[in-house]
Amino acid sequence: MDVLLVEDDLDLVDALGRVLASRGFKPVCCGDGHEALAWMRKRSFDAVILDLSLPGLDGLDVLQRMRDLGLRLPVLVVTARASIGERVTGLTLGADDYLTKPFDTEELVARLRALMRRSQGIEDFRCGHLQLDMNQGLFLRSGRPLDIAPREGAMLRALITKPGRPVSKDDLYQAIFGDDASHQSDAIDLLAHRLRKRLAGSGAALLTMRGIGYLLVDELGHDSKDPA
Amino acid sequence: MTQTNGKAAQSMRKQLLLMFVICAGLGGAIGAIGSKTPWLAVCMALAGAPALWWLAGHCLRPLQELTTTVASRQPQETTPLEHTPAVELEPIVRALNVQWQQQRDALEQQQRFIAEASHQLRTPLAVLKTQVQGVTSGELPASDTLPKMLRTLDRASHLANQLLSQAKVEQKVRQAQWSLVDMHHLASDVLVEFAPLIARKQLEVSLDAEPVRLMSDSWLVGEMLRNLLANAIRQSATGASLGVVIRHLPDELELLVWDNAGGLDETVRERLFQPFESASGGTGVGLGLSICKQIAVSMHATLDLYNRIQQGAVVGVDAVVRWPRPAHAMAQDPAVPARSMPHAALSEATLRMPA
């Protein structure tokens, strides 16, 4: 897993490089935008970690040049400015995800792995001991198929594919019943009640955000973004 | 102000001179028509000119004196003027003194903030340095100290974020971009942002919002709600409940963030709105509520904290923001009529009383 780490702070490069290496990545480090592009031209990488504030050619320019050159590597932007992070993940600038400094190294590694899996088309979703096998369309609990009714499965699928985000009742209704408008809106609450029982002991819990929707929570503590 | 006074004196002098020329011209013309000795009228008019010039200069001398005094002050000088050159100039001097007093207060407040911020920022750095040196020298066990260092770092990061937020709020308050803000959507978006924190503590969250649009700056209202929610989440125990209510009152619009995390001590309630003041035992850096208050004041809204009473016991805190409801400042969505709030906790919330 070759990763290009583009960061001009030497202390951060040193610490992060060691962490990445210890987690099985092969990091190549550089502190300059031009050098980063040169590396990308002469060698293939599985992902890029890109700081936005770089001397010479800054991170936004690097992203733009990568797009112009047709380089479609997954890019995880690291920035001290959250507002810019939100913009770079937009389609126009082509970054795949962002982290705001200071970040948690566990989170960086998790996001990097998720990006690489996504770019290789091996997207799977996990929550607690639950896993959605996208190839077979099956839910696994601790590696074994989970016995779940179709509508509960549709609800769980809608929730697990949006990790860390609540799903509104309207979206859940659409995911479960499609265009069939004959069901009462409290049918979602009833399904949620059943699903909650089904998930007991799975390390995943269904949380109600009344007025917003439902949120699938990883009780084993694999949450990601922290806005505070 | 100095320049303005100088220009005023110059302009007045010109006007007096013009009046004199017109009077002299008119006097001369009338004299020339009505008298057999028009040269006498012209001579009299010309003879009065120096006297009028001297009179104008004498009248304007206090204004010139004030102009010189103000012009000679240093830009940073804010002491009041004690001497007023003339009675007519007293309103100007009073206005100048009020402005300098406000400038002095703002400077003092800024200096206090910087001193406190420096202290707050340097403290975790000092702690970190001590911890690193302790581990390096072997006096402190790494397994015990490193997690503590992580907590110190988190606190310093949070403080840096809050200081940056405060700076941004100050800038936005001056350059607010007013538009109709859909309060339900805004609150919903903010709650979604907080989903990871809500998930971590497995909190039961609710949003009860009447359809309301408020003429305001969406970033500022969002930032205020973020801070109030962050406080409520931080204070709440795992599995506790909290919520946001947006509703119309007879003369006001209310945004309420409630929690079930116990009450506030009367002695700290008002202090909490001061920078770097936090509730005893709190883990915040003490800037959130001060930022919220600043935003509320900039929108002519009020922000108060109340202890919520249920069955005779204090169960939590209500952070209440209220905007007055002038017809031009708020528009209720005509498509969706207002409804009464169905939420049971809300009726309890009305039983709140000051801590």
Side-chain angles (χ1 to χ4, degrees):
Chain A
M1 293 188 287
D2 295 308
V3 174
L4 180 63
L5 172 58
V6 193
E7 165 66 61
D8 65 329
D9 187 300
L10 293 179
D11 290 335
L12 186 55
V13 167
D14 179 50
L16 199 51
R18 283 167 195 260
V19 169
L20 290 172
S22 72
R23 302 295 179 93
F25 295 95
K26 291 178 192 162
V28 170
C29 306
C30 66
D32 177 270
H34 291 290
E35 200 186 336
L37 284 172
W39 270 110
M40 284 183 235
R41 282 196 198 97
K42 71 180 174 188
R43 197 174 145 179
S44 69
F45 291 94
D46 296 304
V48 180
I49 299 172
L50 179 66
D51 179 29
L52 285 190
S53 304
L54 294 169
L57 196 65
D58 79 8
L60 290 177
D61 292 328
V62 172
L63 268 176
Q64 184 68 49
R65 300 266 181 105
M66 281 177 69
R67 204 163 64 103
D68 294 345
L69 292 167
L71 293 165
R72 281 306 305 157
L73 290 171
V75 178
L76 174 61
V77 159
V78 176
T79 173
R81 292 171 289 175
S83 57
I84 288 197
E86 283 156 17
R87 279 200 290 126
V88 296
T89 51
L91 290 174
T92 48
L93 287 162
D96 299 273
D97 201 356
Y98 78 95
L99 268 178
T100 309
K101 289 180 183 176
F103 50 80
D104 193 281
T105 45
E106 292 295 332
E107 190 174 346
L108 181 130
V109 170
R111 298 256 194 125
L112 196 58
R113 289 209 166 114
L115 277 188
M116 288 161 74
R117 279 201 303 269
R118 206 185 302 162
S119 75
Q120 291 160 10
I122 325 168
E123 189 160 25
D124 61 349
F125 295 95
R126 292 164 190 270
C127 187
H129 299 301
L130 284 182
Q131 182 191 347
L132 173 60
D133 183 332
M134 295 298 277
N135 291 327
Q136 300 183 62
L138 281 177
F139 281 102
L140 305 172
R141 177 174 172 164
S142 303
R144 291 180 165 185
L146 177 73
D147 180 25
I148 191 167
R151 283 177 178 167
E152 290 168 37
M155 185 170 185
L156 184 55
R157 189 188 176 97
L159 290 159
I160 204 170
T161 51
K162 290 196 172 56
R165 289 184 70 81
V167 183
S168 71
K169 272 186 167 183
D170 287 346
D171 288 348
L172 286 173
Y173 189 100
Q174 181 66 31
I176 299 163
F177 302 115
D179 295 329
D180 180 1
S182 63
H183 298 272
Q184 299 290 324
S185 62
D186 60 3
I188 303 294
D189 298 326
L190 196 64
L191 277 171
H193 179 68
R194 283 192 213 145
L195 187 58
R196 218 172 245 135
K197 283 186 178 170
R198 186 87 61 188
L199 296 179
S202 69
L206 189 59
L207 212 62
T208 310
M209 290 178 74
R210 211 166 47 75
I212 306 273
Y214 287 94
L215 173 67
L216 194 66
V217 179
D218 190 333
E219 292 180 314
L220 306 181
H222 297 155
D223 298 317
S224 52
K225 284 185 193 173
D226 182 345
Chain B
M1 183 62 81
T2 310
Q3 214 175 3
T4 314
N5 286 345
K7 278 182 182 169
Q10 210 175 1
S11 164
M12 202 179 284
R13 194 184 282 271
K14 278 181 184 168
Q15 282 174 10
L16 284 168
L17 187 61
L18 189 65
M19 278 170 65
F20 162 71
V21 170
I22 291 169
C23 289
L26 279 174
I30 292 164
I33 294 163
S35 166
K36 289 180 180 175
T37 54
W39 54 269
L40 186 63
V42 173
C43 284
M44 283 177 70
L46 286 174
L52 200 58
W53 187 252
W54 175 86
L55 193 64
H58 180 75
C59 292
L60 294 175
R61 194 172 299 145
L63 191 56
Q64 276 180 328
E65 193 184 319
L66 180 64
T67 305
T68 313
T69 309
V70 173
S72 63
R73 287 166 69 99
Q74 296 297 315
Q76 67 274 20
E77 195 175 342
T78 54
T79 47
L81 285 180
E82 285 172 4
H83 169 66
T84 307
V87 180
E88 297 80 20
L89 294 177
E90 269 178 5
I92 296 178
V93 171
R94 260 201 308 275
L96 280 170
N97 283 343
V98 167
Q99 194 164 4
W100 284 323
Q101 176 69 43
Q102 286 169 348
Q103 200 181 334
R104 195 162 56 244
D105 291 347
L107 274 172
E108 281 170 7
Q109 192 185 1
Q110 195 182 23
Q111 279 164 355
R112 274 199 304 275
F113 183 83
I114 290 170
E116 190 62 41
S118 309
H119 167 73
Q120 295 284 342
L121 273 171
R122 282 177 180 146
T123 304
L125 290 177
V127 174
L128 270 179
K129 193 166 181 175
T130 311
Q131 287 167 326
V132 170
Q133 285 173 335
V135 171
T136 313
S137 64
E139 289 162 333
L140 293 174
S143 58
D144 181 43
T145 312
L146 288 174
K148 287 180 184 167
M149 286 172 66
L150 207 54
R151 284 198 292 275
T152 313
L153 268 172
D154 283 343
R155 188 174 163 77
S157 301
H158 182 47
L159 177 61
N161 286 338
Q162 291 285 61
L163 286 170
L164 290 170
S165 170
Q166 167 110 21
K168 191 168 178 187
V169 164
E170 279 169 12
Q171 184 206 358
K172 288 289 279 184
V173 161
R174 283 194 296 270
Q175 300 167 343
Q177 292 173 343
W178 294 78
S179 61
L180 274 178
V181 178
D182 184 323
M183 294 294 284
H184 187 181
H185 280 174
L186 182 88
S188 179
D189 287 349
V190 172
L191 278 167
V192 169
E193 268 179 53
F194 277 87
L197 280 184
I198 290 164
R200 197 170 296 164
K201 282 198 161 178
Q202 305 216 5
L203 301 168
E204 285 290 335
V205 171
S206 70
L207 169 63
D208 294 291
E210 291 180 359
V212 166
R213 285 183 293 163
L214 173 74
M215 183 56 80
S216 190
D217 181 294
S218 62
W219 187 87
L220 285 172
V221 182
E223 193 65 7
M224 181 160 63
L225 183 54
R226 274 183 210 98
N227 275 297
L228 295 177
L229 261 177
N231 274 353
I233 292 172
R234 196 182 302 115
Q235 299 298 331
S236 294
T238 302
S241 54
L242 59 86
V244 177
V245 176
I246 294 163
R247 59 179 172 176
H248 292 284
L249 297 178
D251 301 313
E252 291 162 313
L253 164 70
E254 185 178 81
L255 166 69
L256 186 156
V257 178
W258 60 270
D259 64 45
N260 276 329
L264 285 170
D265 193 322
E266 173 68 39
T267 54
V268 300
R269 198 160 61 113
E270 277 309 311
R271 267 199 296 124
L272 291 178
F273 295 112
Q274 299 297 319
F276 304 109
E277 292 284 352
S278 57
S280 57
T283 52
V285 297
L287 276 179
L289 281 174
S290 138
I291 290 172
C292 290
K293 190 79 170 181
Q294 193 180 355
I295 294 173
V297 169
S298 79
M299 295 174 175
H300 310 293
T302 58
L303 167 62
D304 293 293
L305 298 173
Y306 298 94
N307 278 343
R308 194 172 62 264
I309 314 291
Q310 279 177 358
Q311 294 168 348
V314 175
V315 292
V317 171
D318 285 355
V320 182
V321 187
R322 283 185 181 156
W323 286 265
R325 286 185 66 185
H328 65 276
M330 198 182 307
Q332 189 180 338
D333 194 338
V336 193
R339 58 185 169 82
S340 59
M341 301 303 298
H343 181 31
L346 194 65
S347 56
E348 298 282 4
T350 57
L351 295 173
R352 64 179 169 254
M353 54 178 269

